[in-house]
């Protein structure tokens, strides 16, 4: 059946390089999540704004993020912004693209999370003499955090998967980029990318398990 | 006035790309849904440990970047001594990828039907099959449909990656135009984005409407 | 003293309170009865300023609740309220539910707040549930926790909004026992309730509410034994049958 001989040894020898790439992958994903959460919170606040401009920013952002491919958003950052005089290298373009995507999805997540906490909770808190700020931070926010924790974990896994798109705009330092470089030099495509696939799987699993552990510690109720 | 070098021919080129995007989405959704229903019902009906290998396999499709899956499949076919067009590879990979997500949706939908309801059905003398088709299916459908529409949108957007193995779908065709015309990437991307939006937006609205309707009826 | 003077309140076109006047003295227990949707619960929400009013005024110890410049957060410290849907904070343990407001609002130390909370929880019979989360408790236990939570602020007034309506019948008794205890201890209480027997037993006065007004008010013996107005009689006939 096979006329092809698998050469796993050179591919395995490249493991240290690929692990280095995996680290970059994780960095981009984490960075895009951190910024994405911050922007997402701001956008979700905009979503209930009466100011037409702020609401417009929220609506446009969320609709574009959710209705176009992530790769399209990265292209916009890489090619599109370039035409406006903002030249981003492939690393930054990838980061901006994924962050844009994360923020759009997370904004909707946070909006849903806020709605998941009943109004009566605020009422009960206010009746005990808490001011609006205390009621929000002590009562509403912790409950909202639980509601959004799981979708946030999913988004983190998505962010990791999306980092693989950097190679399309020429990034060669993340896991896919490193693997592609090795592939171009050796043409042992299957071996190298199979190892990359295993690494991606492991990263995704570690993140999911870690999140589950945190949730188990945090949400005892 | 706004000047552009983008001609009617170029627009036609983009439209053809959009055609491929739609075609691949359609094939992936049909194949992925059929497989996904089979996998999902199996996972929901059989005892947990027997379907663990299937669950593991499907989880891989969800945890490895689609781009890597496409590259792997594309390089594995010649290893098997077979030949396949990038289009065929794309359809197969996307269908499997879709089935992994669809299986979860179906499993969740079936498990969302309360055991008590099913017992009530069986106590009336309905057979297992009748219970599945008359009670479980209509009830699960309400849970599944909004997610399934979401999946359709996701797959449509994910088809953008098949450009990497050589299928000239919408995003790849716009990238080709960008490279050819150098100085107006923004305009070309905006057209491509608009086309994606025109395909996606109505479907996502429909999904949101269905979800609201179902929630109101609960 | 709580003085309610000619209070009016609307939700849009719907007039919920239509000129309500009622004075509740220190140490008094007043029950409000009436059909659902007659505005009883809304009145309680107005007393501690959770709902704005459109006319009249409410004075608590001489402070006008809805006046501009009234520090509602400060005022609410002396008015405890317990809701029909107990509204436990699900992310906090029973003890934390009760200590949170004393610590953050009254700025008591953790030890002090803990001591108060333990005392209050034992008072309502939850001495063995300190570390549990509300989700693990029965409705009756959650409701008693909510009472302890309100009492931990050492309020001078307690408002009870149909606190047994959402409970299973076998759990009603334990909550009523807790309230009975409070009444005996001399707490000033206003309770909106459907438990006629209980209202008759603990109240100094009972008010019958109808279409946003106090239709008839009097001692329990008077109102239940010899109602003066036909509507009151009709209502009592319908619920006591």
């Amino acid at each position: 059946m096979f006329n092809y001989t698998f050469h796993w040894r050179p591919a395995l020898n490249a493991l240290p390089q690929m692990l280095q790439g995996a680290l970059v992958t994780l960095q981009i994903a984490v960075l895009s999540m951190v910024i994405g959460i911050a922007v997402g919170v701001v956008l979700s606040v905009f979503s209930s704004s009466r100011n037409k401009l702020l609401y417009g920013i929220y609506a446009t952002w969320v609709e574009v993020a959710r209705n176009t491919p992530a790769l399209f958003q990265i292209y916009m950052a890489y090619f599109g912004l370039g035409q406006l005089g903002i030249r981003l290298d492939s690393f930054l373009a990838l980061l901006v693209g994924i962050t844009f995507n994360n923020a759009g999805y997370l904004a909707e997540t946070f909006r849903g999370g806020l709605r998941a906490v009943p109004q009566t909770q605020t009422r009960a808190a206010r009746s005990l003499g808490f001011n609006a700020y205390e009621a929000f931070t002590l009562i509403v926010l912790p409950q909202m955090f639980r509601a959004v924790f799981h979708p946030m974990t999913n988004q983190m896994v998505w962010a990791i998967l999306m980092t693989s798109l950097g190679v399309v705009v020429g990034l060669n330092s993340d896991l896919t980029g490193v693997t592609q470089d090795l592939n171009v030099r050796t043409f042992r495509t299957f071996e190298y990318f199979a190892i990359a696939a295993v690494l991606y799987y492991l990263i995704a699993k570690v993140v999911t398990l870690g999140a589950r552990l945190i949730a188990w510690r945090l949400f005892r109720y | 006035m706004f000047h552009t070098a983008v001609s009617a021919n170029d627009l036609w080129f983009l439209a053809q790309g959009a055609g491929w995007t739609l075609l691949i989405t359609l094939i992936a959704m049909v194949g992925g849904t059929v497989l996904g229903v089979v996998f999902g019902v199996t996972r929901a009906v059989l005892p947990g440990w027997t379907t663990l290998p299937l669950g593991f396999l499907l989880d891989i499709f969800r945890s490895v970047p689609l781009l890597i899956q496409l590259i792997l499949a594309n390089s594995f076919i010649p290893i098997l001594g077979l030949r396949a067009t990038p289009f065929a590879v794309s359809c197969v990979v996307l269908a499997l990828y879709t089935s992994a997500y669809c299986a979860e949706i179906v499993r969740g939908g079936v498990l969302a039907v309360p055991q008590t309801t099913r017992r009530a059905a069986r106590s009336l003398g309905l057979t297992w099959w009748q219970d599945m088709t008359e009670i479980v299916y209509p009830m699960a459908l309400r849970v599944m449909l909004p997610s399934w529409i979401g999946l359709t949108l996701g797959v449509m957007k994910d088809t953008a990656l098949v450009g990497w193995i050589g299928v000239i779908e919408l995003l790849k065709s716009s990238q080709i135009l960008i490279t050819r015309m150098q100085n107006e990437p923004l305009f070309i991307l905006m057209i491509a984005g608009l086309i994606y939006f025109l395909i996606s937006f109505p479907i996502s609205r429909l999904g949101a409407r269905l979800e609201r309707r179902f929630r109101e009826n609960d | 003293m709580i003085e309610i003077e000619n209070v009016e309140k609307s939700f849009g076109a719907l007039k919920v309170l239509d000129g309500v006047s009622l004075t509740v003295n220190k140490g008094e227990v007043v029950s409000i009865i009436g059909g659902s949707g007659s505005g009883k619960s809304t009145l309680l929400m107005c007393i501690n300023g959770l709902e704005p009013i459109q006319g009249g005024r409410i004075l608590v110890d001489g402070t006008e609740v809805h006046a501009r410049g009234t520090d509602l957060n400060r005022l609410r410290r002396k008015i405890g309220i317990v809701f029909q849907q107990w509204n436990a904070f699900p992310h906090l343990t029973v003890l934390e539910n009760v200590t949170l407001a004393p610590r953050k609002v009254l700025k008591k130390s953790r030890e002090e707040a803990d001591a108060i909370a333990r005392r209050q929880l034992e008072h309502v019979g939850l001495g063995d549930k300190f570390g549990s989360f509300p989700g693990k408790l029965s409705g009756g236990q959650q409701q008693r926790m909510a009472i302890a939570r309100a009492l931990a602020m050492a309020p001078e007034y307690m408002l009870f909004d149909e606190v047994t309506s959402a409970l299973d019948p076998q759990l009603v008794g334990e909550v009523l026992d807790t309230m009975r205890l409070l009444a005996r201890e001399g707490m000033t209480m206003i309770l909106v309730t459907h438990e006629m027997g209980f209202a008759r037993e603990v109240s100094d006065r009972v008010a019958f509410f109808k279409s946003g007004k106090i239709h008839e008010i009097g001692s329990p013996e008077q109102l239940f034994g010899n109602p003066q107005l036909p509507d009151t009689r009709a209502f009592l006939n319908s619920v006591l049958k």
Side-chain angles (χ1 to χ4, degrees):
Chain A
M1 178 182 172
F2 292 117
N3 285 325
Y4 183 92
T5 340
F6 287 100
H7 287 76
W8 290 106
R9 185 154 298 262
L12 283 172
N13 284 341
L15 203 56
Q17 273 169 277
M18 291 172 78
L19 283 173
Q20 201 70 41
L23 210 61
V24 175
T25 289
L26 209 55
Q27 272 170 359
I28 302 172
V30 168
L31 212 56
S32 74
M33 273 305 276
V34 171
I35 310 173
I37 289 171
V39 180
V41 168
V42 173
L43 285 176
S44 70
V45 171
F46 283 4
S47 77
S48 52
S49 168
R50 256 177 232 136
N51 183 321
K52 280 231 170 67
L53 178 69
L54 297 185
Y55 184 84
I57 292 174
Y58 150 79
T60 314
W61 192 311
V62 168
E63 293 302 348
V64 173
R66 285 155 47 110
N67 290 305
T68 62
L71 185 57
F72 168 83
Q73 291 156 26
I74 295 166
Y75 274 4
M76 278 304 254
Y78 191 71
F79 298 114
L81 289 183
Q83 193 182 349
L84 298 177
I86 310 164
R87 300 221 164 270
L88 303 180
D89 62 13
S90 50
F91 180 90
L92 274 178
L94 178 67
L95 183 63
V96 168
I98 301 178
T99 305
F100 178 85
N101 189 282
N102 282 343
Y105 277 90
L106 288 171
E108 288 300 82
T109 302
F110 295 146
R111 238 161 72 93
L114 273 181
R115 257 176 308 179
V117 183
Q119 267 291 305
T120 51
Q121 287 284 311
T122 310
R123 240 172 195 231
R126 295 304 299 274
S127 80
L128 290 168
F130 289 108
N131 62 36
Y133 175 76
E134 289 167 331
F136 185 73
T137 52
L138 292 171
I139 303 301
V140 177
L141 215 52
Q143 293 184 58
M144 171 188 144
F145 185 59
R146 184 192 188 170
V148 300
F149 189 82
H150 185 67
M152 258 165 64
T153 314
N154 282 345
Q155 191 64 35
M156 175 67 194
V157 172
W158 268 112
I160 291 166
L161 300 187
M162 280 190 284
T163 58
S164 69
L165 302 180
V167 74
V168 184
V169 289
L171 183 68
N172 60 5
S173 57
D174 76 314
L175 180 49
T176 305
V178 169
T179 313
Q180 173 64 4
D181 265 9
L182 292 164
N183 169 42
V184 170
R185 264 186 272 143
T186 61
F187 291 102
R188 311 301 304 188
T189 311
F190 187 80
E191 288 90 331
Y192 283 112
F193 277 99
I195 292 176
V198 172
L199 289 179
Y200 273 112
Y201 180 80
L202 291 178
I203 298 174
K205 284 302 111 176
V206 168
V207 167
T208 315
L209 277 177
R212 215 171 278 172
L213 215 65
I214 295 172
W216 180 74
R217 282 287 307 148
L218 239 45
F219 310 126
R220 280 295 174 82
Y221 59 98
Chain B
M1 257 314 277
F2 175 71
H3 283 285
T4 177
V6 178
S7 64
N9 262 337
D10 298 327
L11 288 178
W12 177 235
F13 185 59
L14 285 177
Q16 280 175 308
W20 286 108
T21 292
L22 283 173
L23 184 62
I24 297 172
T25 306
L26 183 71
I27 294 173
M29 280 315 292
V30 171
T33 303
V34 171
L35 282 174
V37 168
V38 173
F39 293 156
V41 171
T42 309
R43 292 260 290 144
V45 168
L46 295 182
W49 58 272
T50 56
T51 61
L52 228 50
L54 177 63
F56 176 69
L57 191 72
L58 296 179
D59 188 40
I60 292 178
F61 282 109
R62 292 191 302 263
S63 307
V64 172
L66 179 61
L67 189 65
I68 308 274
Q69 293 180 37
L70 287 165
I71 295 171
L72 276 177
N74 205 36
S75 63
F76 194 60
I77 299 237
I79 292 178
L80 289 174
L82 300 172
R83 262 131 69 83
T85 60
F87 172 73
V89 173
S90 303
C91 288
V92 171
V93 171
L94 270 162
L96 284 170
Y97 171 81
T98 305
S99 78
Y101 284 96
C102 188
E104 275 309 292
I105 295 173
V106 171
R107 189 169 85 108
V110 172
L111 293 181
V113 179
Q115 202 62 44
T116 47
T117 311
R118 302 190 55 182
R119 256 195 228 129
R122 295 302 294 275
S123 77
L124 291 171
L126 265 65
T127 64
W128 182 86
W129 182 251
Q130 285 169 328
D131 169 41
M132 279 313 256
T133 53
E134 302 291 330
I135 308 296
V136 177
Y137 170 71
M139 283 182 80
L141 192 64
R142 290 157 49 97
V143 180
M144 296 183 310
L145 206 53
S147 314
W148 186 83
I149 288 176
L151 178 62
T152 309
L153 284 177
V155 170
M156 195 275 289
K157 289 180 282 175
D158 284 336
T159 58
L161 304 194
V162 304
W164 181 256
I165 60 169
V167 181
I168 302 177
E169 41 62 69
L170 177 53
L171 195 58
K172 182 70 184 176
S173 55
S174 61
Q175 196 221 312
I176 291 173
L177 288 186
I178 288 172
T179 323
R180 191 177 343 128
M181 289 187 261
Q182 290 305 333
N183 52 5
E184 42 190 341
L186 201 56
F187 182 57
I188 295 165
L189 278 174
M190 299 250 260
I191 300 174
L194 189 68
I195 299 176
Y196 275 117
F197 203 83
L198 288 179
I199 302 173
S200 167
F201 192 69
I203 308 178
S204 80
R205 273 297 140 101
L206 177 72
R209 246 205 10 234
L210 278 176
E211 201 161 357
R212 252 201 315 279
R213 164 110 53 92
F214 285 156
R215 212 179 302 143
E216 278 163 13
N217 286 348
D218 278 336
Chain C
M1 190 163 69
I2 296 177
E3 295 157 281
I4 300 165
E5 294 171 5
N6 223 357
V7 165
E8 290 177 25
K9 158 101 194 150
S10 310
F11 290 115
L14 183 72
K15 197 141 203 181
V16 194
L17 299 179
D18 191 7
V20 177
S21 297
L22 174 69
T23 302
V24 180
N25 292 307
K26 261 278 153 69
E28 212 183 3
V29 177
V30 175
S31 291
I32 301 175
I33 60 172
S36 47
S38 58
K40 308 172 306 246
S41 300
T42 308
L43 182 65
L44 295 192
M45 302 298 161
C46 293
I47 292 174
N48 71 353
L50 282 172
E51 289 284 354
I53 58 176
Q54 273 90 46
R57 59 178 196 165
I58 299 175
L59 302 172
V60 175
D61 293 340
T63 308
E64 188 174 346
V65 176
H66 295 89
R68 198 187 287 262
T70 297
D71 186 350
L72 277 177
N73 297 326
R74 179 166 282 279
L75 186 76
R76 282 174 187 148
R77 292 179 199 175
K78 59 176 171 189
I79 309 172
I81 184 164
V82 184
F83 303 91
Q84 179 177 352
Q85 291 290 351
W86 44 87
N87 297 338
F89 302 135
H91 61 301
L92 302 175
T93 64
V94 168
L95 192 67
E96 287 166 342
N97 256 280
V98 182
T99 54
L100 190 69
R103 279 176 53 211
K104 302 286 177 179
V105 177
L106 301 180
K107 312 286 180 208
K108 291 194 186 301
S109 72
R110 185 180 279 274
E111 293 73 32
E112 221 179 329
D114 267 12
I116 296 170
R118 281 169 198 278
R119 198 167 59 240
Q120 291 301 347
L121 283 167
E122 269 155 20
H123 200 69
V124 300
L126 290 176
D128 55 340
K129 300 287 182 200
F130 294 157
S132 308
F133 283 100
K136 298 271 185 291
L137 304 184
S138 73
Q141 289 170 326
Q142 292 196 50
Q143 191 59 294
R144 282 185 282 146
M145 184 202 82
I147 295 175
R149 186 171 71 183
L151 289 176
M153 296 296 284
E156 293 166 39
Y157 305 94
M158 283 290 283
L159 313 176
F160 292 90
D161 181 15
E162 301 191 26
V163 290
T164 56
S165 298
L167 293 178
D168 290 337
Q170 73 271 21
L171 300 178
V172 169
E174 59 188 62
V175 175
L176 293 186
D177 282 342
T178 304
M179 290 162 68
R180 197 172 281 129
L181 192 65
L182 272 179
R184 215 174 304 137
E185 288 167 356
M187 174 66 76
T188 312
M189 299 171 26
I190 302 179
L191 28 123
V192 168
T193 185
H194 292 305
E195 301 283 337
M196 297 304 154
F198 183 71
R200 183 169 199 164
E201 176 197 332
V202 301
S203 312
D204 298 305
R205 279 186 299 155
V206 179
F208 171 59
F209 231 73
K210 188 177 157 60
S211 352
K213 284 192 177 87
I214 292 181
H215 199 65
E216 186 172 349
I217 185 163
S219 71
E221 296 73 31
Q222 220 177 318
L223 197 99
F224 287 108
N226 185 22
Q228 298 301 303
L229 298 171
D231 282 339
T232 316
R233 234 172 283 145
F235 174 77
L236 288 173
N237 273 333
S238 72
V239 293
L240 293 176
K241 273 285 144 56

